[in-house]
Amino acid sequence: MTALGIGLIGTGFMGKTHALAFRSVRAVMGDVPEVRLECLCDTPADKAARFAAQFGFVRATADWREIVADPAIDIVSITTPNNLHAEMAIAALQAGKHVWCEKPMALTLADAERMEAAARAAGRITLVGYNYLHNPAILHAKRLVGAGRIGRVVHVRGWVDEDYQADPDLPWTWRARLADAGLGALGDLGCHLVSLVLALAGPIESLIADTQIVHADRPLADGSGRAAVENEDTATAILRFANGAQGSISASRSAWGRKNRLDVEVHGTKGMIAFAQERMNELQLYVNEGPKAEQGFRTILTGPEHAPYGRFVPAPGHQLGFLDLKTIEAAELLRAIAGGRVAHPGFAHALGIERVIHAIAQSGAEGGRRVTLG
Amino acid sequence: MTALGIGLIGTGFMGKTHALAFRSVRAVMGDVPEVRLECLCDTPADKAARFAAQFGFVRATADWREIVADPAIDIVSITTPNNLHAEMAIAALQAGKHVWCEKPMALTLADAERMEAAARAAGRITLVGYNYLHNPAILHAKRLVGAGRIGRVVHVRGWVDEDYQADPDLPWTWRARLADAGLGALGDLGCHLVSLVLALAGPIESLIADTQIVHADRPLADGSGRAAVENEDTATAILRFANGAQGSISASRSAWGRKNRLDVEVHGTKGMIAFAQERMNELQLYVNEGPKAEQGFRTILTGPEHAPYGRFVPAPGHQLGFLDLKTIEAAELLRAIAGGRVAHPGFAHALGIERVIHAIAQSGAEGGRRVTLG
Amino acid sequence: MTALGIGLIGTGFMGKTHALAFRSVRAVMGDVPEVRLECLCDTPADKAARFAAQFGFVRATADWREIVADPAIDIVSITTPNNLHAEMAIAALQAGKHVWCEKPMALTLADAERMEAAARAAGRITLVGYNYLHNPAILHAKRLVGAGRIGRVVHVRGWVDEDYQADPDLPWTWRARLADAGLGALGDLGCHLVSLVLALAGPIESLIADTQIVHADRPLADGSGRAAVENEDTATAILRFANGAQGSISASRSAWGRKNRLDVEVHGTKGMIAFAQERMNELQLYVNEGPKAEQGFRTILTGPEHAPYGRFVPAPGHQLGFLDLKTIEAAELLRAIAGGRVAHPGFAHALGIERVIHAIAQSGAEGGRRVTLG
Amino acid sequence: MTALGIGLIGTGFMGKTHALAFRSVRAVMGDVPEVRLECLCDTPADKAARFAAQFGFVRATADWREIVADPAIDIVSITTPNNLHAEMAIAALQAGKHVWCEKPMALTLADAERMEAAARAAGRITLVGYNYLHNPAILHAKRLVGAGRIGRVVHVRGWVDEDYQADPDLPWTWRARLADAGLGALGDLGCHLVSLVLALAGPIESLIADTQIVHADRPLADGSGRAAVENEDTATAILRFANGAQGSISASRSAWGRKNRLDVEVHGTKGMIAFAQERMNELQLYVNEGPKAEQGFRTILTGPEHAPYGRFVPAPGHQLGFLDLKTIEAAELLRAIAGGRVAHPGFAHALGIERVIHAIAQSGAEGGRRVTLG
């Protein structure tokens, strides 16, 4: 296979992570296709050019449609603001590109559905940036659950919190407007938590929920007054899973002190697994076995026993970081392309995540009415 | 004031803690009335006598009505199974005794209401055994919240978990029968969590909830078959508080590895407080102040700065234990009696806790319907 | 056996803990002799009387020799400043009393040796207040080590730190004068650490050490100038054990933020045990067994499986506190008296602890010269 | 500046980390010179070729002297076994290359001194792979110490532990032979700890130490018998610093459960800093300020406030990993080359680290005699 050409749209935080992942993935993994950093897109053009030089792309453009049209490009990475995802992804798919799109898929469920339909129609590989799913600790948790190590899953809990909207004096931004940002904490954070919960406990059947705007309005940056916050600062749901388990999840973007909290705990009939992203190289495991006097939660430090950790570092306890998760994600994409298989989580799976967060928003809007998922 | 005569009904775990608290409270605190361990009640009589000798009571009886009728007794401690609380407490109150009753108040809300009415009618001091409220760490958290240290409270979360019903092979007991035990995890554990949440965020206005029976039936101990589990193993609720805050709480008696987990976190507009009972001598505090590069959760080890810790140990970090909480609780009772003031939490306050757990059960039974609290 | 009469000398922190332990021990344990709080001694007399009332002693005195001479007293508890221990303990032993003495035994090794000789001559039961040895977590660690659970012990490390002398502006006190206080951090803190290390790894054969005065002088409280600090703020030693293991220990009374840190870790050929007193209800255990992918340190929460925890609370994870350790210690004393056996750690064992801390001081004074223990 | 040509010798763990660092550093940092992965060396030739393809090098060779002689190469990265460092580094320096060499510098102090002399003579930039020094948490700790945030440093402690030699049944390897491996735990692990201690407390004046071979011999892999372990499994030293502080450090390669433990704590007159590499994105800080009731160790999660974290991820709490430390290290090298300044830690500084670990070995060999450093 000749090297796969990469077109990357966006040079912000996520754009950088995609660029770095593509730069590292083959050196780390060995057994993935080669890539060629073909074209980087941002506006204005000089910004695109500057970042192309920094990231090591061959070319730069200010017009994303050039990337979509470019025959030298096989994969389009979309890391733009969420309201642009749908148009770009659909165009790329229709042009026959594979698409790696950041989460959430879109502002509205309808857009996400259109994206999924386009992926199905195009038969191309898609991947949505739920990077935490690729953490070796989470992959190991999935294996443990799958192997019945904690018995039947009966209950799940999770929290995802940051504090970037905790300060009441923070100026109003587009993030607070429904039309621009769509969902609030659910779209930014909640969807990550849902991705973990689905991975560890399977599909959700129904839920009840509540949402909350913590700061009703915020000062305008220009001092001209205040503007309303239109989307949720927190969201909480109580879940019923298809397998009979129950659980609850909660998201907040106004939780002081939490920087990237993403905690999940899985209660089984034989044991418990707990994970906290702020200590992403640790997995907590309790199993009801051996002498009672020696039972306790084990802090498992990830290492070569937890694939693909060993591709990065052959010694346990040395720690992977956030960027390494994106490298694993890129490998998933490249291997799926090379192997002609579905990448996980692709648009079809990610649409399921979108359905959950929109169901939470809907239940919240309707006072906690039970919402059933397809 | 002459020494207050104590009558204690029950010699189990809680009975022992009451006896120990009464034995220690004056030596620890200094400024509380003297007590006299007058009479201990349990059945059969020889068991009562044996424990009276161990606990240092003057006399023993197998008839709790003797205690209620005894003019030498000023305070009746009720630590019997929950289905007996109402009758005993009401009789004691009507006989003019002060009453210290373990939680939950009763099996049914109606019984709890009768108890509260009796307390009001009698004008005696009542106290319900929500021991965790008396933890110096929690008292400090209340002071911090009250002083606005974390700003306005906007969100609250809590979990209370144990694993005493986690094993699917555990034999069926009376704990699983509604008629004997009333609520399941809510009555055993959830009420403690509610007590903390009310203390830190104030009254709850409405809620939606779900409950779950994890193990539908259990083997009978005599091997003759299986019997149904009638009350909830887990319960989860999403709360709206009177002050506009939201939050969620969850209780499980089937959570492997959790031995006495009782966690609560209070999100404010300026900071966050978090507490975990399994590390009961620590309080986590984050405040948005000082250089950003130095912000982080502080692990405050309780010490003499956190009254009444210093009455036990004059040096920080030396740790109080569970039994010490009961000693603080006993001091609250004795001081309320000496001062002619209400003890906290008395029957009136504890009834509010009962209302919440029964509202959770009701919402759960009705598929998550919103239940409004008085 | 008729109730044992208790005479307690001292009403400070430790005096209070002895009083409370004696008040609780039979109610907690059941199977220990009854005690009678006979006489409390402190100066002046009204202070003794006030605390006798608070602690529940029958009588009070300002003359400790009255206690030693009193035929109604069987056990003398010595909780006075360390420079008084030797005279009181020897007098009590010579009068035929059992003696419970706080640590360290004495200011000088010579005094400690005289105390041990007196105990041997008197044939009475002695106990020295190394309360941390009685922690169920430590008792369990000893059992695990003894049973070979972590293989052969090959290395040991420990730290004991507080911050009561960390502030450079703290006024000078008698604690800083050799003649009054004897050793510094070694006498206050180091001896506790040595007690744990000996319990878990056996006798020490030789050591090299260094000591440090962090704050050379301190302001006099009356503002009249500054006075020299004569004893060590920190002490560190590298140990060789009789069994071939090595290890190191370090003590500081000038360690900001450490309130009652007493950490020890035991390295074995099959596993590791680690303990931290500031989380005294937890024991960390790692064993090289089972799948590598599931290995990790287990946080064992103490519970009824770890005797005598269950005597206090029948449920795991509920936490014992510092005072409970003194209750276990009192039970050890009473059982030894009842059973006519040596109490642990008695004067003979505690003398071994004294030898180690004085050897550390000596090596430190001589620039780190290797000092061999008997 | 035209792109700097890289020649990398070695394709093991460290070789891979260098390759990845060079691939990422400009994309991450932006403001460092471009590099060109010119030639990769390993034996045999096909292995070199295979890894050159994986890592993205232009060419491969099995002869390291080709790299040294290649005019297209500006920087030589040496990641071979330690006994080869000296010859390669000296040759590269003499050929006018800049050198990035993994730690420790060499097997013997004499070799390290020759390397340092060669660097001085050549006037080229050198850097030794003490990657943990580049952790933003450690850089921040240095800034805090430098700014007097914890007052005067008075005491330092550290531990570095792994368990790769803990299993008594592990076969004998070259690691156990002095002639091949030089020092044991000191060379592998201890030098990292020394690098941190020097960074935080300055130069060491003298020390006393002990070393230990835990497993005297090990089975030969071919089953033909057992061979002696010649170098230390553990090493411990008590340090005196030039600034009057004292401290202690200990290293073990036989510490079950420790995977990459590298802990250091710095005691100051106003506060304490503590760090643990197994939680490398956290820094513990205690300062004696503000209300006593709110004092506690703060867990600072690294973020953009802690340069150069923000170059990787603009959001706090997202975690850097081990590989990111190598990227920061590479940036240090490239910036030093671009700026014509010394890189830190270069050969001169690293020689100081070597002197310390060899002094520890020497003191250990001589029964703990005090060894003075230059």
Side-chain angles (χ1 to χ4, degrees):
Chain A
M1 181 184 266
T2 166
L4 293 160
I6 308 297
L8 167 60
I9 316 177
T11 61
F13 174 17
M14 280 301 129
K16 191 173 193 175
T17 68
H18 282 229
L20 285 165
F22 281 126
R23 289 193 67 79
S24 299
V25 61
R26 188 171 151 90
V28 168
M29 298 291 176
D31 60 354
V32 297
E34 266 191 88
V35 298
R36 199 182 55 252
L37 301 184
E38 190 65 31
C39 189
L40 178 65
C41 172
D42 206 340
T43 54
D46 65 329
K47 184 181 181 189
R50 195 169 68 247
F51 276 103
Q54 176 173 339
F55 294 170
F57 277 78
V58 178
R59 294 178 291 117
T61 177
D63 177 5
W64 66 268
R65 293 192 181 275
E66 259 186 48
I67 281 184
V68 167
D70 189 337
I73 286 175
D74 302 284
I75 298 169
V76 177
S77 264
I78 302 171
T79 69
T80 51
N82 303 336
N83 59 348
L84 304 176
H85 289 182
E87 185 181 11
M88 291 173 175
I90 293 168
L93 286 162
Q94 287 173 346
K97 311 302 188 197
H98 307 294
V99 173
W100 184 11
C101 182
E102 271 309 310
K103 45 63 51 184
M105 288 174 77
L107 295 201
T108 66
L109 194 52
D111 273 354
E113 284 166 346
R114 287 198 304 124
M115 291 166 75
E116 193 273 333
R120 226 171 335 111
R124 301 283 84 188
I125 307 300
T126 55
L127 183 70
V128 181
Y130 288 104
N131 31 261
Y132 301 114
L133 286 177
H134 303 282
N135 185 332
I138 292 294
L139 295 171
H140 189 57
K142 279 179 70 171
R143 278 190 300 267
L144 290 171
V145 169
R149 194 72 181 93
I150 59 165
R152 178 171 57 92
V153 171
V154 296
H155 206 81
V156 181
R157 295 206 198 104
W159 316 273
V160 60
D161 295 326
E162 296 196 14
D163 63 5
Y164 61 91
Q165 295 290 310
D167 189 344
D169 300 328
L170 214 69
W172 186 93
T173 69
W174 62 269
R175 283 183 178 282
R177 181 145 57 192
L178 269 174
D180 295 332
L183 298 175
L186 283 165
D188 282 359
L189 310 176
C191 57
H192 277 302
L193 180 54
V194 170
S195 80
L196 294 190
V197 161
L198 294 179
L200 294 167
I204 295 165
E205 206 174 69
S206 74
L207 57 83
I208 57 177
D210 210 354
T211 58
Q212 172 189 24
I213 294 175
V214 168
H215 305 288
D217 50 33
R218 291 188 171 281
L220 289 166
D222 63 5
S224 68
R226 302 181 70 85
V229 173
E230 298 174 359
N231 51 18
E232 78 286 351
D233 290 307
T234 83
T236 306
I238 305 177
L239 312 171
R240 290 187 183 172
F241 292 86
N243 63 8
Q246 286 196 11
S248 55
I249 54 178
S250 189
S252 173
R253 64 183 183 187
S254 298
W256 274 120
R258 308 303 186 187
K259 302 307 177 184
N260 190 25
R261 190 200 210 186
L262 176 57
D263 293 3
V264 66
E265 60 182 40
V266 187
H267 305 218
T269 51
K270 294 183 186 166
M272 166 96 66
I273 286 172
F275 169 79
Q277 173 65 25
E278 284 182 351
R279 289 179 175 166
M280 63 174 265
N281 289 279
E282 302 179 12
L283 189 68
Q284 302 285 326
L285 173 65
Y286 183 100
V287 282
N288 174 35
E289 66 183 21
K292 284 279 177 198
E294 296 183 15
Q295 288 189 5
F297 276 91
R298 297 175 209 172
T299 302
I300 303 171
L301 295 181
T302 46
E305 305 287 334
H306 314 100
Y309 176 103
R311 299 294 179 103
F312 294 86
V313 179
H318 280 63
Q319 319 279 314
L320 301 195
F322 181 87
L323 294 177
D324 299 323
L325 303 186
K326 296 306 272 190
T327 301
I328 302 173
E329 200 178 328
E332 169 65 13
L333 175 67
L334 297 178
R335 286 182 180 132
I337 292 171
R341 63 162 173 85
V342 169
H344 183 78
F347 279 13
H349 184 91
L351 179 57
I353 298 172
E354 302 281 331
R355 288 197 204 284
V356 175
I357 60 174
H358 284 281
I360 293 171
Q362 185 189 345
S363 177
E366 300 178 16
R369 191 180 61 78
R370 181 166 297 277
V371 174
T372 302
L373 284 135
Chain B
M1 181 185 265
T2 166
L4 293 160
I6 308 297
L8 167 59
I9 315 177
T11 61
F13 174 17
M14 280 301 129
K16 191 174 193 174
T17 68
H18 282 229
L20 284 165
F22 281 127
R23 289 193 67 79
S24 298
V25 62
R26 187 172 152 88
V28 168
M29 299 290 176
D31 61 354
V32 296
E34 266 189 271
V35 297
R36 197 180 58 252
L37 301 185
E38 189 66 30
C39 189
L40 178 64
C41 172
D42 205 340
T43 55
D46 64 329
K47 184 182 180 188
R50 198 170 67 248
F51 276 103
Q54 177 173 339
F55 293 171
F57 278 78
V58 177
R59 292 176 292 117
T61 177
D63 178 5
W64 66 267
R65 294 191 181 274
E66 259 185 50
I67 281 184
V68 167
D70 189 338
I73 286 175
D74 302 286
I75 298 169
V76 177
S77 264
I78 301 171
T79 69
T80 51
N82 303 336
N83 60 348
L84 304 176
H85 289 181
E87 185 182 10
M88 290 173 174
I90 293 168
L93 287 162
Q94 287 173 345
K97 310 303 187 196
H98 307 295
V99 173
W100 184 10
C101 182
E102 273 310 309
K103 45 60 57 184
M105 288 174 79
L107 295 201
T108 66
L109 196 52
D111 272 353
E113 284 166 346
R114 288 198 304 126
M115 290 166 75
E116 193 273 332
R120 227 173 332 112
R124 300 285 84 187
I125 308 301
T126 55
L127 184 69
V128 180
Y130 287 104
N131 31 261
Y132 301 114
L133 286 177
H134 303 283
N135 185 333
I138 292 294
L139 295 172
H140 190 57
K142 278 179 70 171
R143 277 190 300 268
L144 290 170
V145 169
R149 194 73 182 92
I150 60 167
R152 178 170 57 92
V153 171
V154 295
H155 205 81
V156 181
R157 294 208 198 104
W159 314 274
V160 59
D161 295 326
E162 296 196 15
D163 63 5
Y164 61 92
Q165 295 290 308
D167 189 344
D169 300 327
L170 213 69
W172 186 94
T173 68
W174 62 270
R175 283 182 178 282
R177 181 146 57 193
L178 270 173
D180 295 332
L183 298 174
L186 283 166
D188 283 358
L189 310 176
C191 58
H192 277 301
L193 180 54
V194 170
S195 80
L196 294 190
V197 161
L198 294 179
L200 294 167
I204 295 165
E205 206 173 69
S206 74
L207 57 84
I208 57 176
D210 210 353
T211 58
Q212 173 190 24
I213 294 175
V214 169
H215 305 288
D217 50 32
R218 290 187 171 280
L220 290 166
D222 64 3
S224 67
R226 301 181 70 86
V229 173
E230 299 175 358
N231 51 20
E232 78 287 352
D233 289 308
T234 83
T236 307
I238 305 178
L239 312 172
R240 289 187 183 171
F241 292 86
N243 62 9
Q246 286 196 12
S248 55
I249 53 178
S250 189
S252 173
R253 64 184 183 187
S254 299
W256 273 120
R258 307 302 185 188
K259 302 307 179 185
N260 190 26
R261 190 201 211 185
L262 175 59
D263 293 4
V264 66
E265 59 181 42
V266 186
H267 305 218
T269 51
K270 294 183 188 166
M272 165 96 65
I273 286 173
F275 169 80
Q277 174 65 24
E278 284 182 352
R279 289 179 174 166
M280 63 174 265
N281 289 279
E282 302 179 10
L283 189 68
Q284 302 286 326
L285 172 66
Y286 184 100
V287 281
N288 175 35
E289 65 182 21
K292 284 280 177 198
E294 296 183 15
Q295 289 189 5
F297 276 91
R298 299 175 207 172
T299 302
I300 303 170
L301 295 180
T302 45
E305 305 286 334
H306 313 98
Y309 176 103
R311 300 294 180 104
F312 293 85
V313 178
H318 281 63
Q319 320 279 312
L320 301 194
F322 181 88
L323 294 176
D324 299 323
L325 303 185
K326 296 306 272 190
T327 301
I328 303 174
E329 199 178 330
E332 168 65 12
L333 176 68
L334 296 178
R335 285 181 180 134
I337 292 171
R341 64 161 173 85
V342 169
H344 184 78
F347 280 12
H349 184 91
L351 179 58
I353 299 172
E354 302 280 331
R355 288 196 205 284
V356 175
I357 60 175
H358 284 280
I360 293 171
Q362 184 189 345
S363 176
E366 300 178 15
R369 190 180 62 77
R370 182 167 296 277
V371 174
T372 301
L373 283 134
Chain C
M1 181 185 264
T2 166
L4 292 161
I6 307 297
L8 167 59
I9 315 177
T11 62
F13 174 17
M14 280 302 130
K16 191 174 193 176
T17 67
H18 282 229
L20 284 164
F22 281 126
R23 289 193 68 79
S24 298
V25 61
R26 188 173 152 87
V28 168
M29 298 291 175
D31 61 354
V32 297
E34 266 190 269
V35 297
R36 198 181 56 253
L37 300 184
E38 189 64 31
C39 189
L40 178 64
C41 172
D42 206 339
T43 55
D46 65 327
K47 183 180 181 190
R50 198 171 65 249
F51 277 103
Q54 176 173 339
F55 293 171
F57 277 78
V58 178
R59 293 179 290 118
T61 178
D63 177 5
W64 66 268
R65 293 191 180 274
E66 258 186 49
I67 281 185
V68 167
D70 189 338
I73 287 175
D74 301 286
I75 297 169
V76 177
S77 265
I78 301 172
T79 69
T80 51
N82 303 336
N83 60 348
L84 304 176
H85 288 182
E87 185 182 10
M88 290 172 174
I90 293 169
L93 286 163
Q94 287 172 346
K97 311 304 188 195
H98 307 295
V99 173
W100 184 10
C101 182
E102 272 309 310
K103 48 57 56 183
M105 289 175 76
L107 295 201
T108 66
L109 194 52
D111 272 354
E113 284 166 346
R114 287 198 304 126
M115 291 166 75
E116 192 273 332
R120 227 174 331 114
R124 300 284 84 187
I125 308 302
T126 55
L127 184 71
V128 180
Y130 287 105
N131 32 261
Y132 301 114
L133 286 178
H134 303 283
N135 185 332
I138 292 293
L139 295 171
H140 190 56
K142 279 179 70 171
R143 278 190 300 269
L144 290 171
V145 169
R149 194 74 181 90
I150 59 166
R152 178 170 57 92
V153 170
V154 296
H155 206 81
V156 181
R157 293 206 198 106
W159 314 273
V160 59
D161 295 325
E162 297 196 12
D163 63 6
Y164 60 93
Q165 295 289 309
D167 189 343
D169 300 328
L170 213 70
W172 186 94
T173 69
W174 63 270
R175 282 182 179 283
R177 180 144 60 191
L178 269 174
D180 294 333
L183 298 174
L186 283 166
D188 282 0
L189 310 176
C191 58
H192 276 302
L193 179 54
V194 170
S195 81
L196 294 189
V197 161
L198 294 179
L200 294 167
I204 295 165
E205 207 174 68
S206 74
L207 57 83
I208 57 176
D210 210 353
T211 58
Q212 172 189 24
I213 294 174
V214 168
H215 305 290
D217 50 32
R218 290 187 171 281
L220 290 165
D222 62 6
S224 67
R226 300 180 72 84
V229 173
E230 298 175 359
N231 50 20
E232 79 285 352
D233 288 308
T234 83
T236 306
I238 306 177
L239 311 171
R240 289 187 183 171
F241 291 86
N243 63 7
Q246 287 196 12
S248 55
I249 53 178
S250 189
S252 173
R253 64 184 183 187
S254 299
W256 273 120
R258 308 302 185 187
K259 302 307 180 186
N260 190 26
R261 189 200 211 186
L262 176 58
D263 293 5
V264 65
E265 59 182 40
V266 186
H267 304 219
T269 52
K270 294 183 187 166
M272 167 96 67
I273 287 172
F275 169 80
Q277 174 65 24
E278 284 181 352
R279 289 178 174 168
M280 63 174 266
N281 289 278
E282 301 180 10
L283 189 68
Q284 302 286 326
L285 173 66
Y286 183 100
V287 282
N288 175 34
E289 66 183 21
K292 285 278 176 198
E294 296 183 15
Q295 289 189 4
F297 275 91
R298 298 176 207 172
T299 301
I300 303 170
L301 295 180
T302 46
E305 305 286 334
H306 312 99
Y309 176 103
R311 300 294 179 102
F312 294 84
V313 179
H318 281 62
Q319 321 278 315
L320 302 195
F322 181 87
L323 293 176
D324 299 323
L325 303 186
K326 297 305 272 189
T327 301
I328 303 174
E329 199 177 329
E332 168 65 12
L333 176 68
L334 297 177
R335 285 180 180 135
I337 291 171
R341 64 162 174 84
V342 169
H344 183 79
F347 280 12
H349 184 89
L351 179 57
I353 298 172
E354 302 281 331
R355 287 196 205 286
V356 175
I357 60 174
H358 284 281
I360 292 171
Q362 185 189 345
S363 177
E366 300 178 15
R369 190 178 62 77
R370 181 166 297 277
V371 174
T372 303
L373 284 134
Chain D
M1 182 184 266
T2 166
L4 293 160
I6 308 295
L8 167 59
I9 316 177
T11 61
F13 174 17
M14 279 302 128
K16 191 174 193 175
T17 67
H18 282 228
L20 285 164
F22 281 126
R23 289 193 67 80
S24 299
V25 61
R26 188 173 152 87
V28 168
M29 299 290 176
D31 60 354
V32 297
E34 265 191 271
V35 298
R36 196 180 59 251
L37 301 184
E38 190 65 32
C39 189
L40 178 64
C41 172
D42 205 341
T43 56
D46 66 327
K47 184 181 180 188
R50 197 170 67 248
F51 276 104
Q54 176 172 338
F55 294 169
F57 278 78
V58 178
R59 293 176 292 117
T61 177
D63 178 6
W64 65 267
R65 293 191 180 276
E66 261 187 45
I67 281 184
V68 167
D70 189 337
I73 286 175
D74 301 285
I75 297 169
V76 178
S77 263
I78 302 172
T79 69
T80 51
N82 303 336
N83 59 347
L84 303 176
H85 289 180
E87 186 181 9
M88 291 172 173
I90 292 168
L93 286 162
Q94 287 174 346
K97 311 302 187 197
H98 306 295
V99 173
W100 185 9
C101 182
E102 272 308 310
K103 47 59 55 185
M105 291 175 76
L107 295 200
T108 66
L109 194 52
D111 272 355
E113 283 166 346
R114 288 197 305 126
M115 291 165 74
E116 192 274 331
R120 226 171 336 111
R124 299 285 84 187
I125 307 301
T126 56
L127 184 70
V128 181
Y130 287 104
N131 32 262
Y132 302 114
L133 286 177
H134 303 283
N135 185 331
I138 292 293
L139 295 172
H140 189 56
K142 279 179 69 170
R143 278 191 299 268
L144 290 170
V145 169
R149 194 72 181 92
I150 58 165
R152 178 170 56 93
V153 171
V154 296
H155 206 80
V156 181
R157 294 208 198 104
W159 315 273
V160 59
D161 295 325
E162 296 197 12
D163 63 5
Y164 60 93
Q165 296 290 308
D167 190 342
D169 301 328
L170 213 69
W172 186 94
T173 69
W174 63 269
R175 283 182 179 281
R177 181 145 58 193
L178 270 173
D180 294 333
L183 298 174
L186 283 166
D188 282 1
L189 311 176
C191 58
H192 276 302
L193 179 54
V194 170
S195 80
L196 294 190
V197 161
L198 294 179
L200 295 167
I204 295 166
E205 205 173 69
S206 74
L207 57 84
I208 56 177
D210 211 354
T211 58
Q212 172 190 24
I213 295 175
V214 168
H215 304 290
D217 50 33
R218 290 188 171 280
L220 290 166
D222 63 4
S224 68
R226 301 181 71 86
V229 173
E230 297 175 0
N231 51 19
E232 79 286 352
D233 289 307
T234 83
T236 307
I238 305 176
L239 311 171
R240 289 187 184 172
F241 292 85
N243 63 8
Q246 286 197 12
S248 55
I249 53 177
S250 189
S252 174
R253 65 184 183 186
S254 299
W256 273 120
R258 307 303 185 187
K259 302 307 180 186
N260 191 26
R261 189 202 212 184
L262 176 59
D263 293 4
V264 65
E265 59 181 42
V266 186
H267 306 218
T269 51
K270 293 183 187 166
M272 166 95 67
I273 286 173
F275 169 79
Q277 174 64 24
E278 284 182 351
R279 289 178 174 167
M280 63 174 264
N281 289 278
E282 302 179 9
L283 189 68
Q284 302 286 326
L285 172 66
Y286 184 101
V287 281
N288 175 35
E289 66 183 21
K292 285 279 177 198
E294 294 184 15
Q295 289 190 3
F297 275 91
R298 297 176 207 172
T299 301
I300 303 170
L301 295 181
T302 46
E305 305 286 334
H306 312 99
Y309 176 103
R311 300 294 179 102
F312 294 85
V313 179
H318 281 62
Q319 320 278 313
L320 302 195
F322 182 87
L323 294 176
D324 299 322
L325 303 186
K326 297 306 273 189
T327 301
I328 303 174
E329 200 178 328
E332 168 65 14
L333 176 68
L334 297 178
R335 285 180 181 135
I337 291 171
R341 64 161 173 84
V342 169
H344 183 79
F347 280 12
H349 184 90
L351 179 57
I353 299 172
E354 301 281 331
R355 288 197 205 285
V356 175
I357 60 174
H358 284 281
I360 293 171
Q362 185 189 344
S363 177
E366 300 178 15
R369 190 178 63 76
R370 181 166 297 276
V371 174
T372 302
L373 283 134

